[in-house]
Amino acid sequence: MPDQTRHPSLELRELSVPPTVRPLRPGYRVARWDDPTALAPECRERLHRALRDLAARAFGADHSGYWHARMASGFFDQISSLALILGPDGVPVGWGGYHRRRFAARNALYLDAAGVVPAHRRSGLSAALMMHFLSREVLAHPLSSTYVVLRTRHPAVYAGWRKGLGRARVFPRQDRPVPGLVRRIASDAADWLGDGPGLDPDSLLVRDAYRMFDGEIYGVAPRSGDPELDARFAREVGPKDAVLVVARMGALPLARLVLGRALSPRPRPASSRGRTVPGATVRDDFTVRATPTGAGAGGLIPGGRF
């Protein structure tokens, strides 16, 4: 099989550790660092500036204090994989990353902060990046489950995971209590994040999870388009709270996602659609079927540990 790696742009190649670059979607590539701890200090600072600027554009709010705090606490030494989404001209238009962990003696993937800038948000990029991450990690343990864990206060993120994997695989659920194993996974994750005391094990709600943000998390109030779900989030999830989402993944669910994505219509370019209602979620093919992203956020990771 021919090597599908493409050479990164000159700027990325000048970093002390050039990324692995792969196709992501037509016209887009993913530049991934699997050993961010090897990046030299000046390269870390360049990537820090890029992440901070992308976050400001993706969320419509100033998150510079959050990113400065994360860098000071060793972000590049803690994250397992960090990725930038490169646009057709090679300029970063999004980012994401994850932490490879063991919670409750189970393989787990903790999704870090992620987002896509508004101009590129209707191309299924965040969903494609999540699929890229999931494929690498789930297939590393094909005979066992991998639990995906993330924190979010965006109802579309929660809704997207439920639609993609099915309600039986995603917690919390309204129709049944949180199972014991999921409780233990959530408890271990909350302790690791420094949020143990704020976790409600019955609802998986984390109080004051976004305490390090001085201002608003999102520039516009997040919505999913589901009035009942949006009302529940508005009622139960406070301005600095988060829902700890736990999803059970495996090789078979991953195969279903890959097949569903292959059979889905390609999202139309942004220029061919009508005007978006502020705060609403733009649904792409994978938001409906799998991991979410219409708001450009795959789940902020706020915690004091980072």
Side-chain angles (χ1 to χ4, degrees), residues 259-282:
L259 179 61
R261 185 164 171 78
L263 297 177
S264 295
R266 295 290 184 186
R268 288 174 292 163
S271 60
S272 69
R273 301 191 181 188
R275 183 175 180 271
T276 302
V277 177
T281 293
V282 178

Side-chain angles (χ1 to χ4, degrees), residues 191-216:
D191 288 342
W192 173 66
L193 291 162
D195 280 338
L199 174 68
D200 178 353
D202 295 323
S203 65
L204 300 190
L205 187 66
V206 181
R207 295 295 183 190
D208 206 25
Y210 292 87
R211 56 192 173 276
M212 75 297 303
F213 285 92
D214 293 329
E216 297 294 327

Side-chain angles (χ1 to χ4, degrees), residues 64-86:
S64 57
Y66 161 76
W67 281 104
H68 280 299
R70 293 201 68 187
M71 296 304 150
S73 63
F75 170 76
F76 289 103
D77 295 321
Q78 295 170 353
I79 194 166
S80 300
S81 186
L82 175 66
L84 294 178
I85 299 172
L86 306 180

Side-chain angles (χ1 to χ4, degrees), residues 2-300:
D3 184 6
Q4 296 299 313
T5 303
R6 300 199 183 175
H7 294 294
S9 66
L10 176 63
E11 182 179 354
L12 292 179
R13 284 190 284 114
E14 289 178 341
L15 296 176
S16 58
V17 180
T20 299
V21 181
R22 296 284 189 271
L24 186 65
R25 287 187 66 78
Y28 295 89
R29 294 171 293 158
V30 56
R32 192 187 72 240
W33 287 267
D34 294 323
D35 186 18
T37 188
L39 287 160
E42 64 273 15
C43 299
R44 295 183 181 203
E45 180 54 33
R46 289 169 66 182
L47 281 172
H48 166 213
R49 290 197 299 269
L51 292 169
R52 182 191 62 206
D53 294 344
L54 284 168
R57 294 163 61 194
F59 291 97
D62 181 9
H63 290 179
S64 57
Y66 161 76
W67 281 104
H68 280 299
R70 293 201 68 187
M71 296 304 150
S73 63
F75 170 76
F76 289 103
D77 295 321
Q78 295 170 353
I79 194 166
S80 300
S81 186
L82 175 66
L84 294 178
I85 299 172
L86 306 180
D89 56 0
V91 174
V93 299
W95 85 101
Y98 64 85
H99 302 255
R100 191 180 299 111
R101 302 295 302 177
R102 294 276 292 178
F103 295 137
R106 300 299 195 278
N107 296 320
L109 198 68
Y110 192 93
L111 295 181
D112 202 272
V116 172
V117 300
H120 296 265
R121 195 168 288 161
R122 299 182 181 185
S123 301
L125 294 174
S126 293
L129 183 61
M130 292 302 107
M131 178 66 83
H132 180 78
F133 291 158
L134 291 172
S135 297
R136 298 185 71 234
E137 294 300 320
V138 170
L139 295 180
H141 308 280
L143 300 181
S144 60
S145 294
T146 296
Y147 287 85
V148 181
V149 185
L150 67 147
R151 280 181 299 185
T152 185
R153 66 178 314 275
H154 203 305
V157 173
Y158 171 69
W161 282 96
R162 289 196 312 174
K163 289 177 180 176
L165 294 182
R167 295 173 183 250
R169 289 181 171 271
V170 180
F171 294 89
R173 291 172 57 180
Q174 288 292 102
D175 59 341
R176 61 168 293 186
V178 178
L181 175 58
V182 174
R183 282 174 176 257
R184 294 194 297 274
I185 290 171
S187 178
D188 281 3
D191 288 342
W192 173 66
L193 291 162
D195 280 338
L199 174 68
D200 178 353
D202 295 323
S203 65
L204 300 190
L205 187 66
V206 181
R207 295 295 183 190
D208 206 25
Y210 292 87
R211 56 192 173 276
M212 75 297 303
F213 285 92
D214 293 329
E216 297 294 327
I217 309 302
Y218 298 102
V220 179
R223 302 201 304 273
S224 70
D226 179 336
E228 183 178 347
L229 180 63
D230 291 345
R232 178 155 57 89
F233 264 66
R235 181 175 64 251
E236 299 176 4
V237 184
K240 296 297 176 71
D241 299 341
V243 175
L244 188 64
V245 179
V246 179
R248 181 165 54 89
M249 280 292 301
L252 183 56
L254 178 64
R256 290 180 182 141
L257 291 180
V258 172
L259 179 61
R261 185 164 171 78
L263 297 177
S264 295
R266 295 290 184 186
R268 288 174 292 163
S271 60
S272 69
R273 301 191 181 188
R275 183 175 180 271
T276 302
V277 177
T281 293
V282 178
R283 299 190 175 202
D284 59 36
D285 58 325
F286 200 35
T287 301
V288 174
R289 294 180 177 273
T291 44
T293 73
L300 263 172

